[in-house]
Amino acid sequence: PSMDASKKVDLKIIIIGALGVGKTSLLHQYVHKTFYEDYRTTLGASILTKVIAVDNTLLKMQIWDTGGQERFRSMVSTFYKGSDGCILAFDVTDRESFESLDNWRDDFLEKVIPRDHDFPMVVLGNKIDLCDRQVSKEIASAWCKEKDIPYFEVSAKNNINVAQAFETLAKQALTTV
Ligand code: GDP
Ligand code: MG
């Protein structure tokens, strides 16, 4: 049988959000199916690549992860350029990380010059394996609904919903490139 992947598409995806919400962990869970308790922060962006097939298209996702500059949003924003999709991540056990989503989203949209107003984005509420939640599913869903962004409750640790979230974004981005 011939593999009829008639198209190949490169997508630049960026994952942003407060320090410690689990961005690096989510990315490694998605790409390498591993979870480590501790990722050493390196300055600068690191890029992991994952190829998936969607319909007749091979999607090569280059996912950009920021390495520890999250306290300085202006440093992170140097990596925004040319993005086709954006993952906004927060930690459901950290209310502040949720409250900062507005700023992350606005900063991103302001700097990326979106091709249209509904730029491909998803929100990931991470660490749902923990029990000391500070942000309910209802609150997070309501915020996302208002902004018209799909919401996923995920755990990088237990690999819950991670691939679904990344692939929803990839498919959304595919329709705009
Ligand atoms: P980043 O700063 O957003 O890249 O966050 P990291 O990926 O470095 O994760 C920060 C901390 O949260 C680390 O100690 C991780 O092991 C932990 N962590 C990440 N994801 C999860 C998760 O889904 N569940 C739990 N319990 N801990 C997580
Ligand atoms: Mg990190």
Side-chain angles (χ1 to χ4, degrees):
S2 67
M3 190 173 145
D4 183 25
S6 47
K7 277 210 299 179
K8 288 199 176 92
V9 174
D10 285 342
L11 293 176
K12 175 176 173 178
I13 305 288
I14 186 163
I15 182 163
I16 57 177
L19 188 65
V21 300
K23 299 180 295 299
T24 302
S25 302
L26 285 162
L27 198 47
H28 281 261
Q29 181 58 262
Y30 180 51
V31 176
H32 297 310
K33 298 190 165 45
T34 52
F35 178 80
Y36 303 110
E37 286 298 333
D38 189 31
Y39 288 101
R40 217 164 291 172
T41 51
T42 49
L43 284 181
S46 53
I47 304 169
L48 293 187
T49 302
K50 172 105 173 174
V51 180
I52 59 166
V54 175
D55 301 327
N56 284 333
T57 305
L58 278 185
L59 281 186
K60 185 176 169 194
M61 287 189 263
Q62 294 196 316
I63 313 168
W64 289 53
D65 180 28
T66 55
Q69 313 93 323
E70 293 92 326
R71 280 193 200 88
F72 311 102
R73 201 172 289 121
S74 59
M75 284 183 70
V76 173
S77 64
T78 57
F79 306 124
Y80 292 172
K81 204 173 165 217
S83 295
D84 300 299
C86 176
I87 297 168
L88 290 173
F90 74 97
D91 172 353
V92 298
T93 70
D94 174 4
R95 181 181 299 280
E96 259 182 59
S97 73
F98 175 69
E99 287 167 353
S100 73
L101 280 190
D102 255 317
N103 286 331
W104 283 105
R105 174 179 171 274
D106 291 351
D107 188 62
F108 179 82
L109 289 177
E110 195 177 293
K111 297 199 169 102
V112 137
I113 314 169
R115 286 147 299 195
D116 51 54
H117 57 278
D118 34 55
F119 190 88
M121 263 192 188
V122 289
V123 170
L124 273 56
N126 188 36
K127 309 196 190 180
I128 60 164
D129 57 283
L130 297 176
C131 46
D132 50 338
R133 251 181 117 114
Q134 294 186 353
V135 182
S136 70
K137 187 176 182 177
E138 290 68 32
I139 297 274
S141 305
W143 186 86
C144 291
K145 197 171 176 199
E146 187 198 308
K147 306 279 191 276
D148 200 20
I149 308 175
Y151 177 56
F152 292 87
E153 298 234 299
V154 300
S155 165
K157 184 170 188 176
N158 292 353
N159 195 15
I160 300 169
N161 249 342
V162 177
Q164 289 86 337
F166 278 84
E167 285 165 20
T168 296
L169 178 67
K171 285 176 193 168
Q172 207 183 320
L174 182 61
T175 66
T176 67
V177 291

